[in-house]
């Protein structure tokens, strides 16, 4: 939920042509977390390292990091809005945002594409660790190392590759390729039988989907007035939240009735649907 606020803050102080690159830097920071977090999570949950480490230890550590984040925002982050009018917090806003997203014709298909993209990523994330255990017999520390490895390539995608591509191509051209290649990257996980092959598949996945992660909100931002950046990116996050709520329910059914790794491959098909919507509309 905080990501849309961070993106809005970046949008407030960034020229439209620079937003894709700067949203990519947010994603690169996310990638750093993807490197450090899973490795630490694997270590902090393993009693072989320290006797009192349990499955709960990573959650306590995460809560400390979140508290540190609060302090950093309170003492070091300046307000980016030039003028803040009175407003009322509403707990039904997310539902209204979903309805409003569909009503915004210039942005409707961006939101729909993002819905399918985020749904696909959630299908993937929900059962990917099951895939690693079922096919490659990974334990928790190995899973942490592998996700950290993918995080390195998310940083490369969003911190290095995306700024280079954004100087040559607009967001629409980037997404035409990154969405379909991201779908193919998920199906590519069916191919490897060795750890090296799994690593190559991870690079392909991170490079392609890392670009889509930054380009979709940047496209929505660039097509919106500068006075409603927070609202648009908040609506985009509400759509994303809905997209992330549905797959875990369906994943359990697919895993039980088809295969434990079925949700991973279904995710590739869902992202492909998002690409089709994007290309048609």
């Amino acid at each position: 939920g905080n990501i849309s606020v961070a993106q809005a803050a970046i949008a407030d102080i960034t020229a439209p042509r620079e937003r894709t690159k700067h949203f990519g830097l947010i994603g690169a920071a996310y990638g750093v977390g993807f490197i450090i977090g899973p490795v630490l999570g694997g270590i902090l949950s393993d009693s072989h390292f320290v006797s009192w480490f349990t499955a709960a230890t990573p959650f306590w550590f995460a809560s400390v990091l979140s508290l540190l984040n609060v302090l950093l925002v309170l003492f070091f982050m300046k307000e980016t809005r030039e003028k803040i009018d009175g407003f009322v917090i509403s707990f039904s806003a997310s539902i209204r945002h979903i309805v409003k997203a569909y009503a915004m014709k210039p942005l409707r298909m961006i939101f729909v594409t993002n819905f399918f993209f985020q749904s696909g990523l959630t299908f993937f994330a929900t059962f990917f660790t099951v895939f690693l255990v079922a096919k490659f017999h990974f334990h928790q520390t190995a899973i942490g190392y592998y996700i950290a490895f993918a995080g390195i390539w998310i940083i490369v995608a969003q911190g290095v590759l995306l700024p280079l591509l954004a100087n040559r191509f607009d967001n629409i051209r980037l997404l035409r390729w990154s969405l379909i290649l991201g779908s193919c990257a998920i199906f590519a996980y069916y191919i490897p039988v060795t750890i090296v092959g799994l690593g190559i598949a991870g690079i392909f996945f991170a490079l392609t989907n890392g670009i889509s992660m930054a380009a979709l909100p940047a496209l929505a931002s660039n097509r919106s007035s500068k006075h409603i950046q927070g609202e648009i990116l908040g609506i985009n996050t509400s759509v994303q939240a809905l997209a992330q709520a549905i797959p875990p329910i369906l994943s359990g059914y697919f895993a039980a009735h088809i295969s434990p790794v079925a949700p991973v491959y279904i995710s590739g098909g869902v992202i492909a649907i998002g690409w089709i919507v994007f290309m048609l509309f």
Side-chain angles (χ1 to χ4, degrees), residues 29-163:
Y30 181 80
V32 172
F34 237 61
I35 296 171
I36 299 171
V39 173
L40 281 177
I43 293 172
L44 290 170
S45 63
D46 192 341
S47 60
H48 289 98
F49 286 96
V50 177
S51 61
W52 51 267
F53 281 178
T54 70
T57 310
F59 292 92
W60 288 106
F61 185 76
S63 69
V64 173
L65 290 182
S66 295
L67 176 61
L68 177 61
N69 232 1
V70 172
L71 297 175
L72 288 172
V73 170
L74 285 174
F75 292 106
F76 296 102
M77 183 175 175
K78 297 179 180 179
E79 180 56 60
T80 60
R81 285 281 301 276
E82 295 177 0
K83 181 182 178 183
I84 302 176
D85 299 321
F87 64 92
V88 177
I89 294 176
S90 170
F91 291 100
S92 63
S94 291
I95 297 172
R96 295 201 307 273
H97 280 166
I98 300 298
V99 177
K100 196 170 184 178
Y102 187 78
M104 291 181 164
K105 289 187 177 181
L107 298 171
R108 181 188 298 168
M109 286 304 123
I110 300 173
F111 292 141
V112 172
T113 301
N114 193 42
F115 174 82
F116 283 111
F117 176 67
Q118 295 295 340
S119 293
L121 286 187
T122 306
F123 268 117
F124 180 84
T126 303
F127 271 76
F128 183 62
T129 54
V130 176
F131 168 83
L132 292 176
V133 172
K135 188 171 182 179
F136 292 94
H137 310 291
F138 275 23
H139 52 77
Q140 65 224 47
T141 307
I143 290 171
Y145 288 145
Y146 182 77
I147 296 174
F149 172 77
I152 293 172
W153 291 98
I154 290 176
I155 294 174
V156 172
Q158 299 190 327
V160 180
L161 183 60
L162 183 59

Side-chain angles (χ1 to χ4, degrees), residues 128 146 149-157 161 181-182 185-186 188-189 195-211:
F128 183 62
Y146 182 77
F149 172 77
I152 293 172
W153 291 98
I154 290 176
I155 294 174
V156 172
L161 183 60
L181 289 175
I186 293 174
Y189 273 109
I195 300 301
V196 173
L198 184 64
I200 294 171
I203 294 171
F204 186 24
F205 171 85
L207 291 180
T208 52
N209 288 293
I211 289 173

